[in-house]
């Protein structure tokens, strides 16, 4: 049950890894944050991912600021369950003020003055008034479904990666896996062990070298961050290595010969998918590994979509680091490279959380 109306220094929307990193650094900056989390348990999106998901890195390369992730006791890299347990322990260690389940519906300005409080409203009916807001809602709750002709008439099952859990139930099925990234490759590798799979992607998948894991990716992201800070935008960063990390299940799928992606189909037909050349692939399931979009509807009342006449390149308009250019009271954390290189990763979000906390602490009215 949410508490009654409260006045707070900073309100953090979202209690996953980005929200917790924000809470840690806001405390260190001398502020008293409250974290509102829509989930009914700790762990952010990790408890809702597919069962076999693992990190790309060992625990030592997957920690939030101030507390190392414990070593994973089993073989391989940490599982999603291990990450969830770590995030729950992190909350407890720093006694972060996390209130859940509270789904924030809107953030609006109390008055037109730039130093007025922001009013944060929730489905529970409670209202918070904050001098600053950090949006750390992530993307998991906004799965992206592309639109293709004929989708509504498909007699099989449409399934997004956000709702996939395990291969059981796919035995013997004809499954078309859509997407060209890590999720598509990993779910294809898993489902293909029990089903007949066809992989389609909007462009040929780009596989990273076998020896690249999260440790290498972190080093590349760190160099890109330093290059950007120095004004050098020529560094391609992680994207220059490829799109797909060759984790063991994906390498095994390659050895089985199932990583051959076809070009994107043109439309969906009642019993499968079809291409403009007339070819056709029957399907019982279309598994859409087509990504996610930032969950930012709660910021719509602030009208951040345009700043200084600039057409927005992200849903809330231009950003300066993690700060919304249209409102210095609002920071966005953990949504991907547009809020900082590697900011959507466990180890990378700490840097951007630190910067956001410092910016908020420096506001003259904070």
């Amino acid at each position: 049950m949410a508490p009654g109306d409260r006045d707070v220094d900073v309100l953090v929307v979202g209690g996953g890894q980005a929200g917790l990193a924000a809470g840690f650094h806001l405390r260190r900056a001398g502020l008293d944050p409250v974290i509102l989390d829509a989930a009914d348990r700790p762990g952010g999106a990790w408890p809702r991912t597919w069962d076999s998901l693992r990190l790309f890195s060992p625990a030592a390369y997957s920690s939030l600021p101030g507390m190392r992730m414990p070593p994973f006791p089993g073989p391989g890299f940490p599982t999603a369950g291990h990450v969830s347990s770590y995030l729950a322990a992190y909350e407890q260690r720093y006694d972060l003020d996390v209130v859940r389940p509270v789904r924030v519906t809107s953030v609006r300005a109390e008055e037109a003055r730039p130093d007025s409080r922001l009013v944060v409203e929730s489905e529970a009916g409670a209202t918070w008034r904050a001098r600053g807001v950090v949006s750390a809602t992530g993307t998991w709750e906004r799965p992206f479904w592309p639109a293709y002709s004929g989708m509504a008439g498909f007699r099989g099952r449409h399934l997004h990666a956000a709702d996939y859990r395990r291969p059981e139930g796919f035995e013997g099925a004809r499954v078309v896996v859509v997407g060209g990234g890590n999720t598509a490759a990993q779910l294809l590798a898993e489902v293909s062990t029990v089903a007949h799979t066809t992989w389609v992607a909007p462009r040929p998948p780009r596989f990273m070298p076998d020896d690249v894991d999260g440790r290498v990716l972190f080093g590349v992201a760190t160099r890109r961050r330093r290059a950007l800070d120095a004004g050098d935008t020529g560094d391609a960063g992680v994207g220059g290595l490829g799109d797909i990390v060759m984790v063991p299940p994906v390498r095994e799928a390659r050895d089985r010969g199932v990583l051959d992606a076809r070009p994107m189909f043109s439309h969906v037909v009642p019993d499968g998918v079809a291409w403009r050349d007339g070819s056709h692939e029957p399907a019982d399931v279309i598994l859409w590994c087509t990504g996610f979009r930032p969950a930012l509807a709660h910021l719509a009342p602030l009208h951040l979509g345009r700043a200084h006449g600039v057409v927005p390149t992200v849903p809330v308009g231009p950003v300066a680091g993690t700060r919304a250019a249209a409102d210095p009271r609002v920071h966005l954390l953990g949504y991907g490279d547009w809020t900082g290189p590697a900011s959507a990763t466990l180890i990378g979000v700490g840097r951007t959380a630190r910067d956001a906390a410092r910016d908020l602490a420096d506001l003259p009215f904070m």
Side-chain angles (χ1 to χ4, degrees):
M1 193 71 180
D5 297 354
R6 294 174 58 182
D7 284 5
V8 299
D9 288 341
V10 180
L11 200 291
V12 180
V13 185
Q17 60 202 40
L20 299 185
F24 173 88
H25 279 296
L26 288 164
R27 283 263 189 89
R28 293 195 69 177
L31 301 174
D32 188 17
V34 172
I35 302 171
L36 303 183
D37 190 19
D40 61 359
R41 53 181 165 163
W46 291 97
R48 294 175 281 170
T49 62
W50 62 94
D51 293 353
S52 63
L53 179 63
R54 289 175 178 263
L55 297 179
F56 294 147
S57 310
Y61 281 75
S62 308
S63 300
L64 291 180
M67 177 180 169
R68 283 189 173 274
M69 179 183 288
F72 181 60
F77 292 157
T79 62
H82 187 76
V83 178
S84 298
S85 298
Y86 165 68
L87 295 180
Y90 191 92
E91 281 186 28
Q92 294 179 355
R93 173 170 178 174
Y94 291 107
D95 193 25
L96 296 173
D97 189 358
V98 183
V99 185
R100 63 167 61 91
V102 177
R103 182 173 297 278
V104 170
T105 55
S106 70
V107 180
R108 57 180 175 82
E110 187 174 45
E111 301 176 27
R113 294 182 296 105
D115 61 345
S116 72
R117 288 185 179 266
L118 296 169
V119 179
V120 180
E121 298 173 328
S122 70
E123 286 183 354
T127 300
W128 288 261
R129 296 168 67 251
R131 297 189 184 279
V133 167
V134 175
S135 183
T137 49
T139 62
W140 190 261
E141 294 193 356
R142 280 199 64 202
F144 174 68
W145 294 83
Y148 283 90
S149 174
M151 285 178 66
F154 180 55
R155 292 195 294 263
R157 180 186 179 196
H158 289 291
L159 182 69
H160 196 278
D163 298 311
Y164 172 86
R165 293 295 175 268
R166 60 192 67 88
E168 285 74 21
F170 291 86
E171 292 86 351
R174 298 166 298 180
V175 181
V176 173
V177 179
V178 182
N182 283 301
T183 299
Q186 291 185 35
L187 297 195
L188 172 80
E190 184 165 283
V191 173
S192 64
T193 62
V194 299
H196 172 75
T197 54
T198 300
W199 189 12
V200 296
R203 65 170 187 254
R206 300 188 307 145
F207 301 102
M208 296 185 186
D210 284 7
D211 59 351
V212 169
D213 60 19
R215 291 167 288 198
V216 175
L217 298 178
F218 176 71
V220 172
T222 298
R223 289 194 296 274
R224 175 165 172 76
R225 170 69 178 247
R226 290 171 179 163
L228 290 174
D229 289 346
D232 178 8
T233 59
D235 187 336
V238 170
L241 296 175
D243 297 319
I244 297 171
V245 181
M246 299 303 289
V247 295
V250 175
R251 294 200 301 268
E252 188 271 336
R254 178 188 61 195
D255 295 342
R256 287 191 283 115
V258 299
L259 292 188
D260 184 17
R262 298 182 63 177
M264 197 67 203
F265 50 77
S266 61
H267 58 287
V268 179
V269 293
D271 66 341
V273 298
W275 286 260
R276 288 190 177 89
D277 63 4
S279 59
H280 162 263
E281 184 69 36
D284 303 301
V285 180
I286 303 177
L287 179 54
W288 298 90
C289 303
T290 45
F292 300 80
R293 297 294 184 267
L296 295 170
H298 55 288
L299 297 179
L302 291 173
H303 305 293
L304 302 174
R306 289 178 180 268
H308 312 300
V310 178
V311 176
T313 56
V314 295
V316 294
V319 293
T322 64
R323 175 174 53 82
D327 195 325
R329 297 168 296 180
V330 179
H331 282 254
L332 299 105
L333 197 60
Y335 294 99
D337 279 357
W338 59 273
T339 55
S343 70
T345 67
L346 282 156
I347 196 168
V349 74
R351 293 172 172 171
T352 46
R354 178 196 61 201
D355 295 344
R358 287 176 177 172
D359 276 2
L360 285 166
D362 286 343
L363 289 176
F365 49 82
M366 189 62 66

